[in-house]
Amino acid sequence: AIYAGNNLEALTEAQGILQTVSDRCNELGSRPWLVDQIPFESVYGEAAARIRYLRSMLLLLSVCLLLHSAGAMERKRGLMELLKSTPDGRSQLVLCKLTSAAVCLACLWLPNMVGEVHAYLSLGGAETLDAPIQAILPLYQLSLRCSIRAFLILIYCARFMVLFSLGCIVVAISFRLRRNSAALLTALTLLVLPSALWLYFELPFFSSFSTVRLLDFIELATKGLNYLG
């Protein structure tokens, strides 16, 4: 009975505070944003960070497997030297390879984005998209003035740019090394191994070299924007 009474008192006090804030906002002619924190925290918050990191690591593993042999055919047929001797052969080849890589990466990135957005909306996040980003408790100190919708668009665009940059690294490795196995091993060592050592073996030293934190981008964005602010 005492516990129930304390809860009732706390609820009454919270309702009184919310009503006071609402009345004050009405006097000032502004709209109060009372945003449910659960959708954002469940998908993009710190509690869901490990799940996002694991998905990012699977994404990077797929990138290495798909792109490590990007320069294999030209090497096997001895076309590299011939292409180097033509005016635009080398640059045209690289451009075509990067374009193909971008298409492959978009096909990998899109399902991940759709899954997260669907999870966010299914938890009731659709009602919060127009709220300012400062309405989310972990982000209330951000100096960036934008809605939650704009912030998520920024995050997903930045994620794709990071993914494309990492894909370019794998393509560059494939052009430099003659053997596919060596290219794959090098790409996995650079892009996947530090993240695996950090996530599965909890070795904090490798967190600074973890590409999954860079690919997730949320932590980097919030810290960077706070620093700039």
Side-chain angles (χ1 to χ4, degrees):
I2 296 176
Y3 180 77
N6 290 338
N7 281 345
L8 182 60
E9 291 177 5
L11 180 60
T12 304
E13 183 178 356
Q15 289 175 339
I17 294 173
L18 290 176
Q19 186 62 44
T20 301
V21 172
S22 179
D23 293 340
R24 180 58 177 164
C25 288
N26 289 332
E27 292 176 5
L28 297 174
S30 61
R31 176 186 176 185
W33 285 102
L34 304 176
V35 174
D36 185 4
Q37 305 291 309
I38 293 178
F40 193 92
E41 281 297 316
S42 299
V43 180
Y44 304 105
E46 187 176 349
R50 183 174 178 82
I51 297 175
R52 295 197 310 272
Y53 291 157
L54 290 174
R55 284 202 298 261
S56 296
M57 192 164 66
L58 290 176
L59 191 60
L60 288 174
L61 180 60
S62 301
V63 170
C64 293
L65 292 174
L66 282 174
L67 301 181
H68 77 278
S69 60
M73 185 175 296
E74 288 76 11
R75 289 197 310 269
K76 287 181 179 179
R77 296 184 178 181
L79 296 177
M80 284 297 187
E81 290 70 17
L82 178 61
L83 289 170
K84 290 179 182 178
S85 64
T86 60
D88 298 322
R90 177 80 172 181
S91 59
Q92 190 67 26
L93 173 67
V94 172
L95 181 61
C96 292
K97 294 291 185 180
L98 292 181
T99 303
S100 301
V103 173
C104 293
L105 295 174
C107 293
L108 292 174
W109 166 82
L110 192 60
N112 187 53
M113 181 197 71
V114 171
E116 286 187 349
V117 172
H118 179 266
Y120 180 73
L121 297 179
S122 64
L123 291 172
E127 300 176 358
T128 70
L129 288 174
D130 293 325
I133 192 62
Q134 287 76 15
I136 301 297
L137 188 59
L139 307 177
Y140 78 97
Q141 291 183 332
L142 286 185
S143 58
L144 181 66
R145 303 300 175 189
C146 70
S147 64
I148 295 175
R149 186 197 312 272
F151 181 76
L152 292 180
I153 292 173
L154 171 66
I155 289 296
Y156 283 115
C157 289
R159 281 182 178 179
F160 182 75
M161 294 305 298
V162 172
L163 184 64
F164 179 71
S165 300
L166 296 175
C168 288
I169 292 175
V170 178
V171 173
I173 291 172
S174 74
F175 274 102
R176 296 296 298 176
L177 300 180
R178 293 185 176 277
R179 297 177 58 189
N180 288 346
S181 57
L184 178 59
L185 183 60
T186 303
L188 291 174
T189 302
L190 290 176
L191 301 186
V192 179
L193 183 59
S195 300
L197 292 174
W198 173 52
L199 286 174
Y200 287 103
F201 298 97
E202 299 182 352
L203 299 175
F205 172 77
F206 291 98
S207 65
S208 301
F209 306 97
S210 175
T211 50
V212 297
R213 297 179 67 188
L214 180 63
L215 186 56
D216 183 61
F217 202 76
I218 293 179
E219 180 184 0
L220 179 64
T222 53
K223 288 184 177 180
L225 292 172
N226 278 329
Y227 177 78
L228 292 176

